[in-house]
Amino acid sequence: MNDEFKLQQDVLQTITQDIQGNMQEIENKLRGSLYFVVKEKTKENITLDVGFKSFYMKTTSPQLGGVLMEVDTQAEEQTPESKMFMGLIDSSIGIVINYSGKIIEVKNGDAFINNMLSGMGIEDPTLLEQTKKQLEKDWSGESLGRSFEQVLFNYPNAKVNQGDTWNNEFVSKTGLNATNTWTLVTIDADSYQISGTADVYMKTSNAQITMDLSGTQQTNLIADSKNKFPRKMTVTSTV
């Protein structure tokens, strides 16, 4: 109990759009330092506390004027956006997962959102409620908790041998669905390697745009043989 695991997550997303003949490119960079603390273990499930130690996000577009947004919770001078995202620091949610890594339950899901709103200093009740609804789409504990499933939900339900394969499906509330085939590539006393291929489907919509995308995803995972926690994981998606 109370074993702590740390995870450094780096994401690079490039979006290229053709809008009525005009090409537009948007690049999102995201880096997060997270911790997972084991709070309870049963025969069926594991309960973890999950939180951020640091968070960085930058959105740029040459066609839209360069830097559109930059957030860095470790910067000496905090922008209004960074102050909001400081709400991710020093707060945590609980997730209950089974031994294949699937999330069964998210606990204390409002912790991140409440802290983010507190950092914004909004006093008007109507504006506060509107802002909360906007943030809940991507930054609620439920949304973030489910996103962690992409890191954890990679393991079989039964014992497998080197070279064996198994399947699962990841479905998120943000519109991302992935049908995965996993293979145990190597295993020894220290670590094991899993590779995964997936068909990916994503549908998102808002007042301005609707995106209906499909593609493929390749995952390579090296995990600790004793505690099963990922040591290194690379995910490449093309949609």
Side-chain angles (χ1 to χ4, degrees):
M1 296 301 175
N2 293 316
D3 289 344
E4 181 174 338
F5 303 94
K6 297 178 181 179
L7 178 69
Q8 178 75 36
Q9 184 180 39
D10 292 275
V11 177
L12 174 62
Q13 179 188 56
T14 302
I15 302 171
T16 303
Q17 304 175 97
D18 184 347
I19 303 175
Q20 297 181 341
N22 296 314
M23 297 303 296
Q24 184 181 98
E25 184 175 288
I26 298 174
E27 184 178 86
N28 295 313
K29 291 183 179 180
L30 185 151
R31 182 173 65 252
S33 178
L34 302 104
Y35 63 86
F36 297 76
V37 179
V38 179
K39 305 305 291 185
E40 184 181 0
K41 292 179 69 174
T42 68
K43 291 182 179 180
E44 294 82 22
N45 302 320
I46 303 171
T47 300
L48 302 166
D49 271 356
V50 187
F52 287 85
K53 292 184 178 293
S54 65
F55 182 80
Y56 176 84
M57 181 172 62
K58 185 177 183 180
T59 301
T60 59
S61 173
Q63 295 80 19
L64 297 176
V67 178
L68 305 180
M69 182 176 67
E70 187 169 12
V71 170
D72 187 353
T73 60
Q74 294 183 314
E76 290 186 7
E77 295 186 10
Q78 295 289 317
T79 64
E81 291 88 357
S82 293
K83 289 179 181 178
M84 178 182 71
F85 280 93
M86 282 296 295
L88 296 176
I89 314 301
D90 297 326
S91 61
S92 65
I93 62 171
I95 58 173
V96 181
I97 63 173
N98 63 21
Y99 283 88
S100 66
K102 184 173 180 59
I103 292 182
I104 307 302
E105 182 184 358
V106 176
K107 299 181 177 181
N108 195 30
D110 289 336
F112 290 143
I113 290 290
N114 290 340
N115 276 12
M116 292 172 79
L117 290 171
S118 178
M120 298 174 73
I122 300 174
E123 297 182 359
D124 180 82
T126 302
L127 180 58
L128 188 66
E129 185 62 28
Q130 292 174 347
T131 305
K132 183 176 182 179
K133 288 181 179 180
Q134 286 295 112
L135 290 175
E136 283 176 342
K137 295 178 181 178
D138 297 311
W139 302 104
S140 69
E142 183 74 21
S143 297
L144 285 174
R146 297 296 171 184
S147 73
F148 298 146
E149 194 169 74
Q150 290 182 278
V151 177
L152 301 170
F153 189 30
N154 311 303
Y155 305 105
N157 289 318
K159 185 178 179 179
V160 296
N161 297 310
Q162 186 169 318
D164 288 351
T165 63
W166 63 96
N167 302 297
N168 66 22
E169 185 176 14
F170 171 79
V171 180
S172 78
K173 291 187 176 182
T174 58
L176 174 64
N177 296 347
T179 303
N180 305 282
T181 298
W182 304 98
T183 302
L184 179 59
V185 180
T186 61
I187 184 169
D188 57 37
D190 179 64
S191 65
Y192 56 85
Q193 180 181 357
I194 293 173
S195 68
T197 59
D199 293 321
V200 179
Y201 172 74
M202 183 171 64
K203 184 174 183 178
T204 61
S205 62
N206 55 42
Q208 288 76 39
I209 191 171
T210 296
M211 292 192 296
D212 196 342
L213 308 172
S214 61
T216 58
Q217 179 171 284
Q218 181 69 41
T219 302
N220 288 291
L221 166 68
I222 298 174
D224 189 288
S225 289
K226 294 181 180 179
N227 59 44
K228 317 303 182 189
F229 198 78
R231 290 181 178 174
K232 182 177 181 180
M233 185 175 185
T234 304
V235 181
T236 304
S237 300
T238 304
V239 294

